[in-house]
Structures are given as C-alpha cells and as structure tokens.
Amino acid sequence: ISLDGGDLYGNEVAIPSSGSYEIPGTGLTLAFTTASSANVVAGEEFHFVTSAPAFTTNDLSSAIDALNASDDTWEAIVVIGACSASVAAAVATKMTSFRTAHRFVYALVGTRLQAVGESESDWMTSVQTDFAGLADTERVAVCAGAVDYTSPLSLKRDWRQNVAFVAGRLASRKVGQDAMEVGDTNHFAAIQVHNITADANTDPTLNDARFCTLRKHIGLSGFWVTNAFTWAAADSDYHYLVNRRVLDEAARTVRPLAVRLLGSGVPVNG
C-alpha cells in the first residue's frame, strides 16, 4: 500500500478473509467485496484520493480564543489547512480584537490547494476570485501555493501548503530581516524540496495580488519566498510583514515596562 501516490510502498499484506483491512495510522478501512483468492488478479491495482479532516470556522475560532486566554507571549499563529476568504476574515477580526487587548500579533493562513484535474491557471483564478472581497487587514498574511517535498520525519514525499514553509522561513529570521532576502543559499536548503506551484518567477499573478508565494531565481538552485506581504493595501506602512513584525515586537517589549509604572508616584513641584 502506498500513501504518497506510489513514491513509497509498505510491506506486502495479505487480504484478510473478511475482505476488510484497516490501513494503520490512517483511520481508513479498505473493503474488498471479493476477498477470495480466486477473484484476486496478480498485478491488479486500486487507486483513490482521500480528503483530510478539516476544521470549521467555529473550531478555529475556539482554538484561537484558547490561545489568547493563555498567559504565554507569542508572535503569530499559523493556520494549517485550507482557508477561504471568509475564514481569513474571521481570523483577521480575532487578530484586530487582540490588538485592543494589548496582544500585538498576526496570523498566517493558506489558501486551498489545487484540486485533482484542475489546471494551475484555473486554480489561481479561483483563489483570486475568492479573496477579491477580503477587506484590507494588516494582521493577516495569505499564502498561496504548494510545495512538493520529502518529509524529514516520515521520509514520505507529498505536496503541502506553502504557508508552513513561509512560517518556517519567518521563524528563522530576526524580526527586522525580510523573509524574501535571497542571501547565499536557498531558503529551504535544510529540507528536501523538489518543486513548487505558483512560482512567481514564471507567473507573478498571485504575488502581484498580495499573496505570499514562493519562487525560483534564474541562475540559482533552490526556492525562495517571493515577498512576505500582509493583506494590507499596497500604500500601507504594514503592507510588508517585516514592518508588522518590527512594530509588534517593539510594542510587546515596551508595554510591560510601561505597565510597571502604573500607580507609581507622580512628581510635583515643591
């Protein structure tokens, strides 16, 4: 059985006489209607696509509220899973409300992946159409695209949303360093990345529409973050995420110092 489209296979398994076989660690059960050896043909293959469990807007909202209720200090949340514009708007509302409660944070979300049989150009058009109505927000970054990589943990090769890779790049940078800085090595040198979609080097459409994408650079080997945008307007001071990060870090640092002065004596003349 292969769980990654044929790149890796598990050990050979005999079909149980019941015709029912649960694939370990997946929650999936295969049901063979003709389990008799007389009806099994050597070399016969069965192919199918599954859909991963998905969160609802309420699920995500509850998770964010639980995080906000903690006393921990944090910079951002990364939402792994397909987010529509309406979900991104709900996340933006949360991030803005946290600002009034003196939490200076932002969120990274990722769009849906390209569907089986859907062309990349059709997917890009669909994503742009969905997010065209998302109101300007300086506390949410929307990532679009997928990464073909080999997991360093499972050694399985698969496609994943690029939002996790953008988040990893940001985490490796100081708050005042732009994630798109090319530098001397590709941004994902420590990970075995094979390919990407929505490559801004060949088609900058999504980058121009303020989505965070990845790209190649002619003459260089590897993949890079194109731009780390927020969903703020292009003329906003916070259009680039690096500015958002710097101001948030300053606020998180200075406010606790200022709070310590609450109730302290007020100097007077005489």
Side-chain angles (χ1 to χ4, degrees):
I1 295 175
S2 173
L3 301 177
D4 53 14
D7 290 316
L8 294 172
Y9 283 86
N11 296 327
E12 186 175 295
V13 178
I15 299 176
S17 58
S18 65
S20 179
Y21 177 73
E22 182 177 349
I23 305 176
T26 67
L28 300 174
T29 299
L30 305 180
F32 296 91
T33 56
T34 55
S36 170
S37 59
N39 297 311
V40 176
V41 180
E44 191 172 17
E45 295 183 355
F46 300 91
H47 300 264
F48 56 91
V49 177
T50 60
S51 297
F55 55 79
T56 66
T57 304
N58 286 338
D59 292 335
L60 181 57
S61 178
S62 296
I64 294 174
D65 285 342
L67 180 60
N68 185 49
S70 73
D71 293 328
D72 296 330
T73 299
W74 43 278
E75 177 183 343
I77 64 169
V78 182
V79 181
I80 303 297
C83 287
S84 63
S86 60
V87 172
V91 173
T93 298
K94 290 289 185 183
M95 297 299 104
T96 301
S97 69
F98 292 170
R99 162 65 182 82
T100 60
H102 310 298
R103 271 205 190 273
F104 309 98
V105 293
Y106 62 92
L108 296 169
V109 304
T111 68
R112 70 174 180 84
L113 295 179
Q114 193 174 330
V116 175
E118 182 181 29
S119 70
E120 185 168 316
S121 60
D122 286 346
W123 166 76
M124 292 172 70
T125 299
S126 173
V127 166
Q128 288 184 87
T129 300
D130 181 24
F131 281 83
L134 180 61
D136 294 345
T137 173
E138 63 188 42
R139 292 194 175 274
V140 170
V142 183
C143 301
V147 177
D148 175 15
Y149 84 116
T150 297
S151 169
L153 298 179
S154 67
L155 301 182
K156 293 180 179 179
R157 182 172 174 176
D158 205 354
W159 287 92
R160 290 286 183 265
Q161 289 174 295
N162 69 1
V163 61
F165 295 82
V166 173
R169 172 63 177 169
L170 288 167
S172 70
R173 306 289 285 169
K174 296 179 180 179
V175 293
Q177 295 177 314
D178 201 319
M180 63 80 65
E181 181 182 355
V182 176
D184 297 327
T185 184
N186 91 75
H187 290 174
F188 310 106
I191 307 172
Q192 192 175 357
V193 175
H194 309 285
N195 205 355
I196 59 173
T197 64
D199 180 1
N201 179 59
T202 55
D203 189 345
T205 300
L206 292 182
N207 174 74
D208 295 346
R210 58 183 166 174
F211 290 92
C212 298
T213 63
L214 304 184
R215 63 167 295 160
K216 300 174 185 176
H217 283 290
I218 295 175
L220 298 178
S221 177
F223 305 91
W224 287 262
V225 173
T226 311
N227 280 295
F229 293 132
T230 69
W231 203 256
D235 59 354
S236 168
D237 289 339
Y238 303 107
H239 178 56
Y240 291 98
L241 189 53
V242 64
N243 294 348
R244 171 78 283 150
R245 296 185 73 199
V246 168
L247 267 294
D248 282 353
E249 181 66 17
R252 285 192 296 270
T253 302
V254 172
R255 186 176 184 278
L257 299 177
V259 168
R260 291 188 176 94
L261 300 178
L262 291 175
S264 62
V266 179
V268 295
N269 293 327

